[in-house]
Amino acid sequence: MPRKASTTAPAKAPRKTSRKVASAAKQAAPIKTDVIHAGNCIEIMNSLPEKSVDLIFADPPYNLQLGGELHRPDNSRVDGVDDAWDKFESIAAYDKFTREWLAAARRVLKDDGGLWVIGSYHNIFRVGAALQDMGFWVLNDVVWHKTNPMPNFRGTRFTNAHETLVWCAKSPDAKYMFNYDAMKQLNDGTQMRSDWALPLCTGAERLKSDDGGKLHPTQKPESLLYRVLMASTQPGDVVLDPFFGTGTTGAAAKRLGRHYIGIEQDPGYIAAARRRIAAVEEIEDKQLLLTPSKRTEPRVPFGAVVERGMLQPGALLTDASGRFTARVHADGTIISSEHRGSIHQVGAAVQGAPACNGWTFWHVQNGSDRVSIDVLRQQIRAEMTQSIQ
Amino acid sequence: MPRKASTTAPAKAPRKTSRKVASAAKQAAPIKTDVIHAGNCIEIMNSLPEKSVDLIFADPPYNLQLGGELHRPDNSRVDGVDDAWDKFESIAAYDKFTREWLAAARRVLKDDGGLWVIGSYHNIFRVGAALQDMGFWVLNDVVWHKTNPMPNFRGTRFTNAHETLVWCAKSPDAKYMFNYDAMKQLNDGTQMRSDWALPLCTGAERLKSDDGGKLHPTQKPESLLYRVLMASTQPGDVVLDPFFGTGTTGAAAKRLGRHYIGIEQDPGYIAAARRRIAAVEEIEDKQLLLTPSKRTEPRVPFGAVVERGMLQPGALLTDASGRFTARVHADGTIISSEHRGSIHQVGAAVQGAPACNGWTFWHVQNGSDRVSIDVLRQQIRAEMTQSIQ
DNA sequence: ACGCAATTTGAATCTGTCT
DNA sequence: TAGACAGATTCAAATTGCG
């Protein structure tokens, strides 16, 4: 039950907008965006208006439970995650923390909004189970296949070469946002899979501290956020990140014409994030951000084709092979030897199929070859889009 | 803290063997192997001697919760999993079932034994959390990257293209078995990663029922079990599969010189498994079984170039001569004055050619000269080839 | 028998909107 | 709110069919 992006309106415009109170509520309490809040994410999320953000991306502490120091075969020391924010007393304490921030996130998320959480095997089962227990509806688990992971230096296990993201909606019947066509384009024309091959955040993209080391131990690559935001938001949407860190989510959001709200406890990270996001250049031509989708093109009833005289009552329709035929009636229904109804209904009936897209199924003779009646729809749509502007 | 297979002695020889009574206990109550037990897996596991098996591989019901019928775009019907054994009243009921069979599995597993469970996002968080709660120690979560998954026919989500396996030991300090070198060899000399690219079980390997359809709805490929058994058992080990189905685990175990114990409720599956395993020929030279998949050059979608920031949305592309131009969109499509589509489509369209390799046709300005965008693809491939097995 | 085309199939939580 | 209806939607492999 995904929502789809609109081609005509850059603003979020699900078809039901007019019937929804959500937009009114949003205007009543417009949430402040493109800001970073300093402090505890649970408290701050609870201070924000409820049902006010379109997407939440969360990269919570993983509760890594590392042992002592780890060294590479050449004896150099591995700079692991040993920060205080990743320490929990027990699994139960981690579960409690997880369910508390998820509850606050659920409250601030719009009913049709999306939620992403990234983690590893240390914590992702706790997170995933909590999500399901709290009523979230998992849409996909997505694997980030790291193209350049850190090897397992001891040779004791498989190279830990991926992380897992859970993408979910707020409920099973929510109208979540999914830019199917944009994802397909991004993958050279075939469906985007649930496993994404992307490199770690290294090189110039990786923020450095004064001593030259990495500023944040788990900075995510912007490419990962790029895909997340392209997949599940529209331009102008509000994206909340309760574990903002050095602001990868904010940088990607700004780059893609989305608004961000960051929450972060560490003043050093916040300062770095502000500098980083300020340096991001927004795309000037907003048209570049649009991701057209067939689903949101204006509907054209077949009757409009007859009405405009593009087909006369009595005109003969056939399928591509010429095996099935039907005639057009003045009211936009069509009639075959045994069935009468819409182009879709008759197309399905003559084939004995459960469904049929009549626009692509039926053809008309044009000189020596057959042409799909969908070209007639295209002509009408072309006229419609011109008249709008 | 893995045990390693000894290169000199084929028998199991963990370093601490001399301090253990396990081998004596095993001789006192030799467990009957290479059998299939008919019945409920919890009851039967509880009837087996405790701490008696070296490895457990479990492919439990996933609790898929499918809706109505699903059809492909060509209107053919998808043969989904609608078996009674995959139906549970609630998440709580599934959790209860999970923890009961895991408790029985824990009892029958040796202290240094390994446990694998495979699942999807529907159930794997429940399983993973239960494992951690019960004291198991997760060693890796392993992603089975399906090379030929079923697409998402409605265009509503990402193609569900992987499943997850959790590999764990019985406790944090257990001396589990891991054949590091065998895995490394299997992966062309570099460490085996936590994501495995393997095809689905299809073709001649897939067991058929009398009506020609699939005999079991979720038969796993033997290649998956090969890798599991090669990684975490030694020849002669006893492998238990409490959800034996049509015996993939048994077939792989026999092929690799391991012993199996299967538990299965369905008499039809048991009969098929017996026939199947009887037909398996044990191979003397285990090395012959190592069949690293031939690697083709990874396909790189143009979107990956944009996503990684190697080209910004709005970037100008030209052909080698500068005669044609196009601009990059955020979703990886490009737009010329008259055409929109992939780099290949637009390249063909502007030339009026039937086809075009966009990677070599389009260039970007780099200082004073133009560079083919194919160099960007080469960079990405260089990263990927290090990481794909 | 061989080569090419057409058909089949796989663990799937698989629609949106208006009346 | 339940029902009707428009109409959008698939990839890699293996197998079968045909010339």
Side-chain angles (χ1 to χ4, degrees):
Chain A
M1 319 180 179
R3 283 173 296 156
K4 294 298 172 78
S6 162
T7 40
T8 50
K12 175 171 288 187
R15 274 166 241 165
K16 285 188 177 177
T17 300
S18 57
R19 299 203 307 178
K20 291 205 157 191
V21 197
S23 57
K26 184 179 175 182
Q27 291 185 342
I31 194 165
K32 191 174 175 196
T33 63
D34 305 324
V35 293
I36 307 176
H37 298 285
N40 175 284
C41 74
I42 297 170
E43 293 168 10
I44 290 174
M45 281 195 279
N46 283 333
S47 75
L48 298 175
E50 64 176 333
K51 300 183 183 181
S52 57
V53 306
D54 298 287
L55 192 85
I56 296 177
F57 179 88
D59 182 11
Y62 287 11
N63 188 26
L64 285 182
Q65 306 168 52
L66 301 179
E69 296 214 327
L70 177 64
H71 294 84
R72 298 186 180 83
D74 65 3
N75 280 329
S76 62
R77 183 179 160 278
V78 174
D79 185 13
V81 179
D82 58 357
D83 303 72
W85 50 253
D86 197 47
K87 297 261 186 289
F88 292 85
E89 293 224 336
S90 62
I91 291 184
Y94 186 80
D95 284 346
K96 180 166 179 285
F97 162 75
T98 297
R99 287 165 196 252
E100 283 175 359
W101 77 256
L102 279 176
R106 189 174 175 83
R107 180 189 154 276
V108 75
L109 184 63
K110 289 182 186 173
D111 284 340
D112 288 341
L115 170 66
W116 291 81
V117 188
I118 184 169
S120 67
Y121 67 81
H122 305 88
N123 71 323
I124 201 66
F125 306 130
R126 323 306 304 186
V127 169
L131 287 169
Q132 292 172 322
D133 288 342
M134 295 170 72
F136 287 100
W137 191 244
V138 177
L139 300 169
N140 281 110
D141 59 331
V142 171
V143 170
W144 170 26
H145 167 111
K146 301 178 184 179
T147 57
N148 49 349
M150 184 164 70
N152 181 295
F153 295 112
R154 287 282 173 76
T156 55
R157 305 178 183 190
F158 299 101
T159 305
N160 202 352
H162 75 276
E163 292 186 24
T164 302
L165 300 97
V166 183
W167 174 40
C168 52
K170 220 171 149 176
S171 69
D173 56 350
K175 305 283 182 274
Y176 59 91
M177 171 64 52
F178 180 49
N179 291 315
Y180 173 77
D181 297 278
M183 286 297 102
K184 190 170 172 178
Q185 291 298 330
L186 200 60
N187 195 34
D188 265 0
T190 59
Q191 289 188 338
M192 186 69 80
R193 299 169 43 113
S194 57
D195 38 21
W196 304 350
L198 296 170
L200 292 171
C201 181
T202 58
E205 189 189 332
R206 186 86 193 217
L207 300 182
K208 303 292 193 299
S209 62
D210 294 337
D211 64 6
K214 50 194 177 191
L215 176 59
H216 191 285
T218 66
Q219 184 182 342
K220 296 294 178 289
E222 246 184 81
S223 57
L224 185 70
L225 272 295
Y226 189 107
R227 192 170 292 183
V228 165
L229 297 184
M230 278 290 287
S232 54
T233 61
Q234 287 183 282
D237 273 3
V238 176
V239 180
L240 169 67
D241 185 336
F243 306 97
F244 204 58
T246 48
T248 306
T249 301
K254 183 175 177 187
R255 202 168 139 203
L256 286 171
R258 275 71 167 167
H259 298 290
Y260 66 89
I261 299 172
I263 308 177
E264 174 56 46
Q265 290 187 316
D266 186 305
Y269 293 163
I270 293 176
R274 290 218 168 97
R275 283 194 299 274
R276 173 187 186 182
I277 296 170
V280 171
E281 287 186 25
E282 284 187 68
I283 297 173
E284 292 197 10
D285 184 357
K286 298 301 184 200
Q287 297 284 6
L288 294 170
L289 295 172
L290 295 184
T291 54
S293 149
K294 241 181 174 178
R295 276 195 173 100
T296 51
E297 286 192 278
R299 285 205 180 186
V300 177
F302 178 66
V305 172
V306 186
E307 208 166 42
R308 299 188 186 203
M310 301 166 94
L311 283 179
Q312 299 295 331
L316 185 69
L317 301 183
T318 67
D319 70 311
S321 69
R323 187 159 146 236
F324 302 113
T325 62
R327 288 206 179 269
V328 175
H329 265 227
D331 62 0
T333 59
I334 66 173
I335 296 201
S336 71
S337 57
E338 294 188 341
H339 304 95
R340 165 170 189 156
S342 71
I343 51 172
H344 313 294
Q345 292 169 328
V346 176
V350 296
Q351 295 178 93
C356 169
N357 183 339
W359 289 108
T360 51
F361 179 72
W362 294 110
H363 294 62
V364 288
Q365 201 73 24
N366 185 3
S368 61
D369 47 33
R370 295 196 179 91
V371 181
S372 161
I373 60 173
D374 205 39
V375 303
L376 305 176
R377 181 169 65 161
Q378 296 302 339
Q379 290 175 23
I380 294 178
R381 279 183 174 156
E383 294 166 10
M384 290 170 73
T385 49
Q386 286 176 354
S387 64
I388 285 175
Q389 291 156 359
Chain B
M1 316 170 184
R3 285 173 292 157
K4 297 289 178 78
S6 165
T7 42
T8 50
K12 175 173 291 190
R15 275 167 247 161
K16 290 190 176 178
T17 300
S18 58
R19 298 202 305 179
K20 293 211 158 190
V21 198
S23 58
K26 182 178 174 181
Q27 291 185 344
I31 193 167
K32 191 176 177 194
T33 63
D34 305 322
V35 292
I36 308 176
H37 298 285
N40 175 284
C41 73
I42 298 170
E43 293 169 10
I44 291 173
M45 281 195 280
N46 282 334
S47 76
L48 298 174
E50 66 176 331
K51 302 183 182 181
S52 57
V53 305
D54 298 288
L55 191 84
I56 297 178
F57 179 88
D59 181 11
Y62 287 9
N63 189 24
L64 283 187
Q65 308 168 56
L66 303 181
E69 295 213 324
L70 178 65
H71 293 88
R72 298 184 179 82
D74 67 1
N75 280 324
S76 63
R77 187 179 153 277
V78 175
D79 186 12
V81 178
D82 58 355
D83 304 72
W85 49 254
D86 198 48
K87 301 242 187 297
F88 292 84
E89 293 223 339
S90 62
I91 291 184
Y94 186 80
D95 283 346
K96 180 167 181 285
F97 163 75
T98 298
R99 286 165 195 254
E100 284 175 1
W101 77 254
L102 278 176
R106 188 173 176 84
R107 179 188 154 277
V108 75
L109 184 65
K110 290 183 185 173
D111 284 341
D112 287 341
L115 170 66
W116 290 80
V117 189
I118 184 169
S120 66
Y121 66 84
H122 307 85
N123 71 321
I124 201 66
F125 306 131
R126 322 307 305 187
V127 169
L131 287 168
Q132 291 172 324
D133 289 342
M134 295 170 71
F136 287 101
W137 189 246
V138 177
L139 300 168
N140 279 111
D141 59 332
V142 170
V143 171
W144 170 26
H145 166 110
K146 300 178 183 180
T147 57
N148 50 348
M150 185 159 71
N152 180 295
F153 296 115
R154 304 305 290 267
T156 56
R157 305 179 178 189
F158 298 101
T159 306
N160 200 353
H162 74 276
E163 292 186 24
T164 302
L165 300 98
V166 183
W167 174 40
C168 52
K170 218 169 152 178
S171 67
D173 56 350
K175 304 288 179 276
Y176 59 91
M177 171 62 53
F178 180 50
N179 292 313
Y180 174 78
D181 294 298
M183 287 295 102
K184 191 168 174 181
Q185 291 305 322
L186 198 60
N187 196 36
D188 273 353
T190 57
Q191 287 189 342
M192 184 69 80
R193 297 169 44 109
S194 57
D195 37 21
W196 304 349
L198 297 170
L200 296 173
C201 179
T202 60
E205 188 188 333
R206 188 88 192 213
L207 300 181
K208 302 295 191 298
S209 64
D210 294 337
D211 64 8
K214 52 191 177 191
L215 176 59
H216 191 286
T218 69
Q219 184 182 340
K220 296 294 177 290
E222 259 188 61
S223 58
L224 186 71
L225 272 295
Y226 288 166
R227 192 169 295 182
V228 165
L229 298 184
M230 281 292 291
S232 54
T233 62
Q234 286 183 285
D237 273 2
V238 176
V239 179
L240 169 67
D241 184 337
F243 305 97
F244 203 59
T246 49
T248 306
T249 302
K254 183 174 176 187
R255 217 180 276 283
L256 287 170
R258 277 71 169 169
H259 298 289
Y260 65 89
I261 300 172
I263 308 177
E264 173 57 45
Q265 290 189 315
D266 186 305
Y269 294 163
I270 293 175
R274 291 217 168 96
R275 284 193 299 274
R276 175 187 185 181
I277 296 170
V280 170
E281 289 184 24
E282 284 188 65
I283 296 177
E284 297 293 315
D285 183 358
K286 303 297 186 294
Q287 296 290 4
L288 294 175
L289 297 170
L290 304 183
T291 54
S293 62
K294 63 179 176 221
R295 187 174 341 152
T296 54
E297 272 205 293
R299 197 179 57 83
V300 176
F302 178 66
V305 172
V306 185
E307 201 167 47
R308 296 182 192 203
M310 300 166 93
L311 285 179
Q312 300 293 333
L316 185 70
L317 301 182
T318 67
D319 69 312
S321 70
R323 187 159 146 237
F324 302 112
T325 62
R327 286 208 179 266
V328 175
H329 262 230
D331 62 0
T333 59
I334 65 172
I335 296 205
S336 69
S337 55
E338 294 190 340
H339 305 281
R340 166 170 190 155
S342 71
I343 52 173
H344 315 295
Q345 292 167 332
V346 177
V350 298
Q351 298 178 92
C356 166
N357 182 342
W359 288 108
T360 52
F361 178 74
W362 294 110
H363 294 61
V364 286
Q365 201 71 25
N366 186 2
S368 61
D369 46 34
R370 294 196 180 91
V371 180
S372 161
I373 59 174
D374 205 40
V375 303
L376 305 177
R377 179 168 67 162
Q378 296 305 337
Q379 290 176 22
I380 293 178
R381 275 194 175 146
E383 296 165 3
M384 292 176 74
T385 46
Q386 295 171 343
S387 63
I388 291 179
Q389 60 265 22

